[in-house]
Amino acid sequence: MVEHLAGFKGKWLDAGDQFHSLSVRARVFKKKRGKMAKPKLRNVPDLSAHAVPDEGIEVRVTPKAAKDGILTDQGNIRIAVTAPPENGKANEAVRNILAVAMGVAPSTLILRRGKTSRDKVFVYSP
């Protein structure tokens, strides 16, 4: 194991120092590991009818979900995002998913109401 780890970034390890070798191994592999691509959103409903300028689009959001998704039932739009509800991360994820479903650019959707609420209102302004 020591010979195997010795080739990483020129770090020579002592055979008797197992704790050091394991911590170095963890740090080296953490740096070598790349970021994975985010999975594509599938089965997106067509919400292009909601792309009416200055009309509110009411959305119910579930942050920290297992996977991203969008569901429409009886006129209600429900969006689940994996992003946590801190520093606007969930709001940005919802904006991106809603834009994909509507077929518009995310920058054209403005959050009008519900910055800290699960119930949000977006407005499309081209």
Side-chain angles (χ1 to χ4, degrees):
M1 182 167 119
V2 173
E3 295 81 19
H4 178 68
L5 293 176
F8 288 109
K9 301 223 180 200
K11 297 195 185 294
W12 296 97
L13 306 173
D14 186 22
D17 192 2
Q18 278 189 329
F19 179 76
H20 178 70
S21 65
L22 291 177
S23 64
V24 169
R25 181 178 179 207
R27 276 186 271 140
V28 168
F29 282 126
K30 185 176 181 181
K31 288 180 184 177
K32 288 216 173 252
R33 182 178 41 191
K35 291 186 178 182
M36 291 179 51
K38 197 166 189 179
K40 301 286 184 204
L41 196 61
R42 297 175 189 232
N43 300 329
V44 179
D46 182 23
L47 298 178
S48 59
H50 291 281
V52 178
D54 299 326
E55 184 176 317
I57 305 157
E58 295 182 8
V59 176
R60 176 79 174 177
V61 177
T62 304
K64 290 180 71 174
K67 62 181 181 176
D68 291 339
I70 184 167
L71 176 70
T72 58
D73 57 335
Q74 300 173 356
N76 298 326
I77 301 171
R78 294 177 165 264
I79 299 177
V81 294
T82 57
E86 46 192 45
N87 300 330
K89 292 178 185 176
N91 290 337
E92 194 60 34
V94 169
R95 175 182 283 125
N96 291 334
I97 290 174
L98 188 58
V100 168
M102 291 174 62
V104 298
S107 61
T108 61
L109 293 175
I110 299 169
L111 180 61
R112 179 67 50 93
R113 186 176 61 215
K115 182 178 177 184
T116 60
S117 173
R118 287 179 182 252
D119 296 319
K120 301 182 184 302
V121 176
F122 284 92
V123 175
Y124 173 67
S125 63

